[in-house]
Amino acid sequence: MFNLIYRTPSNLKNDVLSGATVALALVPEAVAFAFVAGLEPMIGLYAAFMMGLITSIIGGRPGMISGATGATAVVMVSLVALHGVQYLFAAVLLSGVLQILAGIFKLGKYIRIVPHPVMLGFVNGLAIVIFLAQLGQFYIKSDMGDTVLMEGNMMVTMLALIALTMAIIHFLPKFTKAVPSSLVAILVVSVLVHSLGLEARTVIDFVRDMLPADQAATATLEGTLPTFAIPNVPFTLETLKIILPTALILAAVGLIESLLTLTLIDEITGTRGRGNRECIGQGVANATNGFFGGMGGCAMIGQSMININSGGRGRMSGVTAALVLLAFILFGASLIEMIPLAALVGVMFMVVLGTFEWASLRIFRKIPLSDAFVIVLVSGITVVADLAIAVIVGVIVSALVFAWKHAQHIAVEKSIDDQGMKVYSLRGPVFFGSVSNFKELFTPEEDPEHVVIEFARSRISDHSGIEALDSLAEKYTALGKTLHIRHLSPECIELLAKAGDLCEVNQLEDPAYHVASDKLG
């Protein structure tokens, strides 16, 4: 419905211009997420610079933008409130080490197990979250200190500028793609607002609304280079107990969001990123944040989509975004403070339109009910809770649905062979979901003295299947009947405690596969 991603070849000009566009959109997000975590704005800006620069250089997905994010900010709130910012730096440093270890041990590959309905729910949920986050820009601080909705000319101006921004982004690429339409939109709206003296809120107004009244008047985004410092915390086991829970959650949330964003960009660009390298890149960036006073973070889907939509495909797009952001902090704070919020909101609204999988609304009647349920479930949890919980719940529900469906696939063909033995020829896997159905297929009391269970078209998949076969063998033995088990893998035979001696071993015909069990140590 909204084809906002243009197939643009990777080149230096596109990357530099796209990176400059992204840098403009990074500022209010980094500041907002710093306030969410109870931190100073500069800590969020430093995080956006260091995350963006390092992951762009050594990460596994060219074109993906990382920075301070809401998903990680909400995890930091309690630690900052209870123990202060130095403990947060220590936790961010530890989370970086954990992410590096995840990359070294190649855990990034497990993102491939995320089912497609979960990915659709993740994308739709994040699009809704990005949209809802922009609604906060329509509120201002009144003279009484309360937050109220814009009214009158200010609201009309805001809506008009947002509409103008979105129109430029949508229509400009139809005439030229020489420059990113988002960058042109931001510049045009900024010039229009200040040349005509329009009543429009700017980035500095947004920052001032978040600060106490005594600090708002002198608020600025100007800063210095981040400086190296080891987190000022005691190096004791007690400190580790304090920061480890937060570090584990930060590492997990950061990797899940980063790897899912990587997968999304892979699909959009038709290329493939390297998940394990991205884990290491995110880890090095977070560890650096811990030493240089940043709040840490992960991949940002909104800014990544702005980058891809603006033509950024290579590593220089992320490097440029980080360096331009640093330049704003050091030299151009007054320029970035003048940007109208309406322009940035318009850019993010276009990101929402381009991110949301509108096709998923059309296929609801064509896909299984369980898949539709997973899409809605993951989208809903992403909005009301957070991304990590939504993805984990989605994967668990998808796995349970898969197990339930495959539990129905086990069946048996019964026959009597030339020797008068009853043969049960199984079809389908024997695992925790199908164990109950497996047991109901047999009638030990009614069977003859010799019974054969044929596994040529079946296999035992986990320890529950092993226990079910052992239990069945015990029933036949208790009735004084002889059970013959054919075509099991050698590992299955080794795992069987009671039925192992009943297996007929055929080195040429018996299959070889592994069983999910810790019984072998």
Side-chain angles (χ1 to χ4, degrees):
M1 185 180 298
F2 295 95
N3 184 23
L4 303 177
I5 307 299
Y6 301 96
R7 297 291 179 179
T8 308
S10 176
N11 62 59
L12 184 59
K13 184 205 75 172
N14 288 342
D15 285 346
V16 170
L17 291 176
S18 177
T21 307
V22 171
L24 299 176
L26 277 172
V27 175
E29 298 261 326
V31 171
F33 295 141
F35 281 115
V36 167
L39 302 168
E40 297 177 1
M42 203 53 61
I43 295 177
L45 292 171
Y46 285 158
F49 160 64
M50 288 182 285
M51 291 295 302
L53 180 64
I54 295 172
T55 56
S56 294
I57 295 174
I58 66 173
R61 176 64 263 180
M64 188 166 76
I65 305 298
S66 295
T69 63
T72 56
V74 295
V75 177
M76 305 172 184
V77 176
S78 60
L79 181 64
V80 173
L82 293 174
H83 300 284
V85 68
Q86 292 298 324
Y87 278 86
L88 172 65
F89 295 152
V92 170
L93 171 59
L94 181 57
S95 73
V97 174
L98 294 174
Q99 289 176 329
I100 293 172
L101 291 175
I104 292 173
F105 289 106
K106 300 188 183 302
L107 301 183
K109 62 186 178 183
Y110 290 108
I111 199 65
R112 299 174 192 166
I113 70 173
V114 176
H116 188 62
V118 176
M119 275 296 300
L120 286 178
F122 155 76
V123 171
N124 291 348
L126 277 183
I128 296 171
V129 169
I130 294 172
F131 172 77
L132 294 177
Q134 305 315 306
L135 299 183
Q137 308 298 347
F138 290 88
Y139 289 83
I140 59 175
K141 185 178 287 187
S142 67
D143 296 336
M144 303 296 294
D146 300 327
T147 301
V148 296
L149 185 66
M150 289 181 184
E151 295 179 347
N153 291 336
M154 181 178 284
M155 176 63 84
V156 172
T157 302
M158 180 80 167
L159 294 174
L161 292 175
I162 290 173
L164 175 61
T165 303
M166 296 176 71
I168 294 173
I169 295 173
H170 182 66
F171 290 109
L172 183 62
K174 300 180 185 300
F175 300 98
T176 179
K177 298 178 184 176
V179 290
S181 57
S182 298
L183 179 59
V184 173
I186 293 173
L187 294 177
V188 168
V189 171
S190 298
V191 170
L192 190 65
V193 166
H194 293 288
S195 62
L196 298 180
L198 299 178
E199 185 183 11
R201 281 167 49 79
T202 61
V203 170
I204 194 61
D205 293 327
F206 170 76
V207 174
R208 286 169 178 164
D209 280 354
M210 292 183 138
L211 291 170
D214 58 332
Q215 301 177 23
T218 58
T220 179
L221 294 178
E222 186 176 351
T224 59
L225 283 171
T227 55
F228 177 84
I230 296 174
N232 186 20
V233 297
F235 288 88
T236 62
L237 187 60
E238 184 64 28
T239 298
L240 181 62
K241 290 179 181 178
I242 292 173
I243 66 174
L244 183 58
T246 301
L248 284 170
I249 299 173
L250 283 174
V253 169
L255 288 185
I256 290 173
E257 181 158 359
S258 298
L259 293 174
L260 285 176
T261 304
L262 179 148
T263 303
L264 175 63
I265 296 176
D266 283 354
E267 293 182 4
I268 292 173
T269 60
T271 58
R272 182 168 181 177
R274 298 169 61 184
N276 293 317
R277 180 172 174 176
E278 184 61 33
C279 292
I280 294 175
Q282 292 287 331
V284 172
N286 275 308
T288 304
N289 269 278
F291 284 123
F292 284 88
M295 63 184 285
C298 61
M300 308 179 75
I301 187 170
Q303 277 65 22
S304 297
M305 293 298 291
I306 292 174
N307 189 44
I308 298 300
N309 187 33
S310 300
R313 295 292 186 273
R315 295 187 182 277
M316 274 307 298
S317 59
V319 172
T320 300
L323 294 179
V324 170
L325 176 61
L326 180 63
F328 282 142
I329 295 172
L330 298 179
F331 314 112
S334 59
L335 295 176
I336 200 72
E337 291 170 0
M338 294 168 57
I339 295 176
L341 286 175
L344 300 178
V345 172
V347 171
M348 297 308 291
F349 277 172
M350 293 302 285
V351 168
V352 170
L353 295 177
T355 303
F356 193 90
E357 287 285 352
W358 300 97
S360 63
L361 301 178
R362 298 197 302 267
I363 64 174
F364 266 118
R365 294 184 180 180
K366 301 177 182 179
I367 60 176
L369 182 61
S370 58
D371 287 350
F373 172 74
V374 169
I375 293 174
V376 175
L377 178 67
V378 174
S379 299
I381 297 177
T382 300
V383 173
V384 302
D386 64 57
L387 162 70
I389 293 176
V391 172
I392 292 171
V393 170
V395 171
I396 291 174
V397 171
S398 296
L400 292 176
V401 170
F402 174 84
W404 173 258
K405 289 181 178 179
H406 278 67
Q408 314 304 314
H409 291 169
I410 190 165
V412 69
E413 293 178 4
K414 302 176 184 179
S415 61
I416 304 296
D417 66 9
D418 297 339
Q419 300 176 355
M421 294 192 294
K422 187 173 183 179
V423 179
Y424 287 88
S425 296
L426 288 176
R427 290 199 316 273
V430 182
F431 68 109
F432 71 92
S434 64
V435 162
S436 179
N437 292 343
F438 168 77
K439 292 178 179 179
E440 294 176 357
L441 298 175
F442 300 91
T443 54
E445 293 81 3
E446 302 172 10
D447 287 345
E449 184 178 349
H450 290 276
V451 176
V452 177
I453 303 179
E454 175 61 69
F455 278 90
R457 291 182 292 173
S458 178
R459 66 165 52 192
I460 295 179
S461 300
D462 61 8
H463 192 71
S464 296
I466 292 288
E467 292 298 327
L469 187 55
D470 260 339
S471 176
L472 183 64
E474 192 172 10
K475 287 184 180 180
Y476 278 103
T477 302
L479 293 171
K481 298 178 180 180
T482 304
L483 182 64
H484 306 265
I485 304 173
R486 295 177 184 165
H487 296 116
L488 275 181
S489 75
E491 189 179 53
C492 280
I493 296 172
E494 187 177 352
L495 289 169
L496 288 168
K498 298 183 175 67
D501 295 335
L502 306 176
C503 297
E504 300 176 7
V505 179
N506 185 318
Q507 296 295 340
L508 295 178
E509 297 182 9
D510 288 349
Y513 56 83
H514 297 291
V515 180
S517 173
D518 58 2
K519 211 171 169 184
L520 290 175

